[in-house]
PDB file of all heavy atoms in Angstrom:
ATOM      1  N   PRO D 596    -102.116  12.083 -17.893  1.00  0.00           N
ATOM      2  CA  PRO D 596    -101.929  13.504 -17.580  1.00  0.00           C
ATOM      3  C   PRO D 596    -103.207  14.066 -16.946  1.00  0.00           C
ATOM      4  O   PRO D 596    -104.302  13.544 -17.129  1.00  0.00           O
ATOM      5  CB  PRO D 596    -101.649  14.120 -18.946  1.00  0.00           C
ATOM      6  CG  PRO D 596    -101.148  12.986 -19.781  1.00  0.00           C
ATOM      7  CD  PRO D 596    -101.886  11.777 -19.312  1.00  0.00           C
ATOM      8  N   ALA D 597    -103.068  15.147 -16.233  1.00  0.00           N
ATOM      9  CA  ALA D 597    -104.190  15.660 -15.455  1.00  0.00           C
ATOM     10  C   ALA D 597    -105.364  16.102 -16.319  1.00  0.00           C
ATOM     11  O   ALA D 597    -106.510  16.024 -15.883  1.00  0.00           O
ATOM     12  CB  ALA D 597    -103.714  16.829 -14.584  1.00  0.00           C
ATOM     13  N   ASN D 598    -105.111  16.567 -17.535  1.00  0.00           N
ATOM     14  CA  ASN D 598    -106.196  17.175 -18.315  1.00  0.00           C
ATOM     15  C   ASN D 598    -106.560  16.402 -19.572  1.00  0.00           C
ATOM     16  O   ASN D 598    -107.735  16.281 -19.901  1.00  0.00           O
ATOM     17  CB  ASN D 598    -105.817  18.612 -18.690  1.00  0.00           C
ATOM     18  CG  ASN D 598    -105.669  19.496 -17.471  1.00  0.00           C
ATOM     19  OD1 ASN D 598    -106.529  19.474 -16.601  1.00  0.00           O
ATOM     20  ND2 ASN D 598    -104.581  20.257 -17.412  1.00  0.00           N
ATOM     21  N   SER D 599    -105.610  15.862 -20.303  1.00  0.00           N
ATOM     22  CA  SER D 599    -105.900  15.171 -21.554  1.00  0.00           C
ATOM     23  C   SER D 599    -104.691  14.338 -21.958  1.00  0.00           C
ATOM     24  O   SER D 599    -103.595  14.500 -21.400  1.00  0.00           O
ATOM     25  CB  SER D 599    -106.259  16.161 -22.667  1.00  0.00           C
ATOM     26  OG  SER D 599    -105.148  17.000 -22.949  1.00  0.00           O
ATOM     27  N   GLY D 600    -104.908  13.456 -22.923  1.00  0.00           N
ATOM     28  CA  GLY D 600    -103.790  12.675 -23.429  1.00  0.00           C
ATOM     29  C   GLY D 600    -104.068  11.190 -23.406  1.00  0.00           C
ATOM     30  O   GLY D 600    -105.224  10.743 -23.425  1.00  0.00           O
ATOM     31  N   THR D 601    -103.004  10.431 -23.386  1.00  0.00           N
ATOM     32  CA  THR D 601    -103.078   8.969 -23.443  1.00  0.00           C
ATOM     33  C   THR D 601    -102.402   8.372 -22.227  1.00  0.00           C
ATOM     34  O   THR D 601    -101.631   9.039 -21.517  1.00  0.00           O
ATOM     35  CB  THR D 601    -102.402   8.455 -24.717  1.00  0.00           C
ATOM     36  OG1 THR D 601    -101.020   8.866 -24.707  1.00  0.00           O
ATOM     37  CG2 THR D 601    -103.087   8.991 -25.971  1.00  0.00           C
ATOM     38  N   PRO D 602    -102.664   7.080 -21.920  1.00  0.00           N
ATOM     39  CA  PRO D 602    -101.999   6.426 -20.787  1.00  0.00           C
ATOM     40  C   PRO D 602    -100.478   6.474 -20.917  1.00  0.00           C
ATOM     41  O   PRO D 602     -99.925   6.286 -22.006  1.00  0.00           O
ATOM     42  CB  PRO D 602    -102.526   4.985 -20.860  1.00  0.00           C
ATOM     43  CG  PRO D 602    -103.845   5.107 -21.553  1.00  0.00           C
ATOM     44  CD  PRO D 602    -103.675   6.203 -22.552  1.00  0.00           C
ATOM     45  N   GLN D 603     -99.811   6.737 -19.793  1.00  0.00           N
ATOM     46  CA  GLN D 603     -98.356   6.841 -19.764  1.00  0.00           C
ATOM     47  C   GLN D 603     -97.686   5.585 -19.209  1.00  0.00           C
ATOM     48  O   GLN D 603     -96.573   5.258 -19.580  1.00  0.00           O
ATOM     49  CB  GLN D 603     -97.952   8.058 -18.927  1.00  0.00           C
ATOM     50  CG  GLN D 603     -98.513   9.375 -19.446  1.00  0.00           C
ATOM     51  CD  GLN D 603     -98.042   9.671 -20.857  1.00  0.00           C
ATOM     52  OE1 GLN D 603     -96.836   9.838 -21.098  1.00  0.00           O
ATOM     53  NE2 GLN D 603     -98.976   9.739 -21.793  1.00  0.00           N
ATOM     54  N   ASP D 604     -98.351   4.911 -18.311  1.00  0.00           N
ATOM     55  CA  ASP D 604     -97.825   3.657 -17.753  1.00  0.00           C
ATOM     56  C   ASP D 604     -99.021   2.839 -17.283  1.00  0.00           C
ATOM     57  O   ASP D 604    -100.122   3.376 -17.063  1.00  0.00           O
ATOM     58  CB  ASP D 604     -96.866   3.929 -16.603  1.00  0.00           C
ATOM     59  CG  ASP D 604     -95.975   2.721 -16.301  1.00  0.00           C
ATOM     60  OD1 ASP D 604     -95.948   1.785 -17.136  1.00  0.00           O
ATOM     61  OD2 ASP D 604     -95.315   2.713 -15.249  1.00  0.00           O
ATOM     62  N   SER D 605     -98.818   1.537 -17.111  1.00  0.00           N
ATOM     63  CA  SER D 605     -99.935   0.677 -16.739  1.00  0.00           C
ATOM     64  C   SER D 605     -99.460  -0.520 -15.944  1.00  0.00           C
ATOM     65  O   SER D 605     -98.301  -0.917 -15.995  1.00  0.00           O
ATOM     66  CB  SER D 605    -100.685   0.182 -17.989  1.00  0.00           C
ATOM     67  OG  SER D 605     -99.878  -0.730 -18.719  1.00  0.00           O
ATOM     68  N   VAL D 606    -100.379  -1.062 -15.162  1.00  0.00           N
ATOM     69  CA  VAL D 606    -100.225  -2.341 -14.478  1.00  0.00           C
ATOM     70  C   VAL D 606    -101.488  -3.142 -14.764  1.00  0.00           C
ATOM     71  O   VAL D 606    -102.597  -2.641 -14.524  1.00  0.00           O
ATOM     72  CB  VAL D 606    -100.053  -2.166 -12.948  1.00  0.00           C
ATOM     73  CG1 VAL D 606     -99.894  -3.532 -12.290  1.00  0.00           C
ATOM     74  CG2 VAL D 606     -98.885  -1.276 -12.613  1.00  0.00           C
TER      75      VAL D 606
END
Side-chain angles (χ1 to χ4, degrees):
N598 296 313
S599 64
T601 60
Q603 301 300 298
D604 198 12
S605 69
V606 180

